Amino acid sequence: MIDFHTYYESINTAEIGYILHREYWNQGIMTMCLKEMTRIGFQLLKLDKILVGHTLANQSSKQVILQCGYHYEYQSLAKIKNNECIAMYYSMYRYEYEEGK
């Protein structure tokens, strides 16, 4: 599952979230999906910025995010399944996407 789960209208920015069953890890599926969602966000939805994050413990998601051209922006506490954890957030701006095409 991958989606734009939050839209910040005042800054024309959306946040992507994703999850993939363990059986399908390490096959390039999520990298392909995140690249396509990035394309949709900038080309079709005309977003100015896209955010995507991962928990500190999930280094595989970090690699997916970096492979797709996102850069580190900030970290914060996140609540996942009633547990607090550190989440790392990455972003890409429209001009970065257009320069990288």
Side-chain angles (χ1 to χ4, degrees):
M1 187 280 304
I2 186 168
D3 67 355
F4 291 105
H5 63 76
T6 306
Y7 176 62
Y8 306 96
E9 185 176 1
S10 64
I11 56 173
N12 194 32
T13 297
E15 186 174 341
I16 293 175
Y18 60 82
I19 189 167
L20 185 66
H21 190 278
R22 186 178 303 266
E23 183 177 326
Y24 300 100
W25 288 5
N26 299 312
Q27 297 179 33
I29 295 168
M30 197 49 69
T31 300
M32 180 181 61
C33 291
L34 182 54
K35 285 181 180 180
E36 182 61 13
M37 288 294 284
T38 302
R39 185 193 69 76
I40 289 167
F42 290 126
Q43 291 185 4
L44 300 180
L45 301 177
K46 305 297 184 193
L47 296 171
D48 292 324
K49 180 180 173 183
I50 298 174
L51 291 168
V52 61
H54 68 86
T55 60
L56 189 58
N58 191 341
Q59 292 301 300
S60 294
S61 274
K62 177 182 179 179
Q63 292 308 310
V64 167
I65 293 165
L66 293 175
Q67 287 173 7
C68 291
Y70 286 79
H71 59 83
Y72 175 78
E73 185 151 317
Y74 66 94
Q75 69 182 31
S76 71
L77 283 177
K79 199 167 200 172
I80 299 174
K81 297 181 182 178
N82 291 323
N83 295 315
E84 282 192 344
C85 59
I86 296 173
M88 311 296 285
Y89 290 91
Y90 299 76
S91 67
M92 184 184 297
Y93 289 84
R94 178 198 303 271
Y95 75 88
E96 294 172 316
Y97 172 79
E98 290 172 350
E99 287 174 359
K101 286 194 325 183

